[in-house]
């Protein structure tokens, strides 16, 4: 079983709002709620009354951080840790993961 991250917002996220917000940022949505991103679309999350992802790479985490920002929410881990972007660096509760631009260029190489 992989680790789960989810986007949390102050107000509930409707499916129609999700679809409208994602497209300008390069995300797409399949009918079954699968959220895809990239030139060769790759799934990064699912919509189940909220956005939930099980990342398998830093690239997936970077995409989820981007998606949380697009949706006006924050990205949280199973244990309550907060994933965010500060000055171009993805951090988890203050500990850096890496520069988002470099992570996105490297692509979705598995951990």
């Amino acid at each position: 079983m992989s680790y789960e991250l989810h986007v949390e917002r102050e107000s509930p996220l409707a499916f129609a709002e999700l679809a409208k917000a994602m497209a300008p940022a390069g995300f797409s949505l399949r009918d079954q709620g699968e959220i895809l991103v990239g030139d060769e679309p790759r799934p990064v999350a699912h919509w189940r009354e909220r956005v939930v992802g099980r990342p398998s790479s830093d690239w997936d985490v970077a995409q989820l951080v981007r998606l949380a920002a697009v949706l006006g929410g924050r990205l949280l881990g199973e244990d309550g840790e907060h994933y965010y972007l500060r000055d171009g660096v993805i951090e988890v509760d203050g500990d850096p993961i890496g520069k988002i631009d470099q992570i996105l260029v490297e692509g979705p190489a598995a951990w």
Side-chain angles (χ1 to χ4, degrees):
M1 186 168 122
S2 60
Y3 196 73
E4 184 176 283
L5 302 177
H6 68 274
V7 176
E8 186 173 287
R9 293 174 16 128
E10 288 188 27
S11 60
L13 181 65
F15 188 80
E17 181 184 2
L18 171 68
K20 183 179 178 181
M22 291 186 334
F27 293 92
S28 60
L29 186 62
R30 288 193 182 153
D31 289 337
Q32 62 271 33
E34 188 174 46
I35 299 170
L36 308 163
V37 68
D39 294 333
E40 296 178 21
R42 172 184 165 90
V44 291
H46 284 85
W47 183 78
R48 299 181 197 129
E49 303 299 320
R50 67 179 182 178
V51 175
V52 177
R54 294 181 184 271
S56 61
S57 69
D58 287 346
W59 185 87
D60 291 337
V61 173
Q63 296 295 356
L64 289 168
V65 167
R66 287 183 58 240
L67 183 57
V70 165
L71 298 174
R74 54 193 184 134
L75 187 62
L76 300 176
E78 289 178 2
D79 299 324
E81 63 280 358
H82 183 195
Y83 292 71
Y84 54 93
L85 186 63
R86 183 189 338 209
D87 299 326
V89 176
I90 298 173
E91 297 183 3
V92 181
D93 291 336
D95 294 326
I97 291 178
K99 293 182 178 181
I100 192 167
D101 292 342
Q102 290 175 342
I103 292 170
L104 292 174
V105 167
E106 290 172 9
W111 284 317

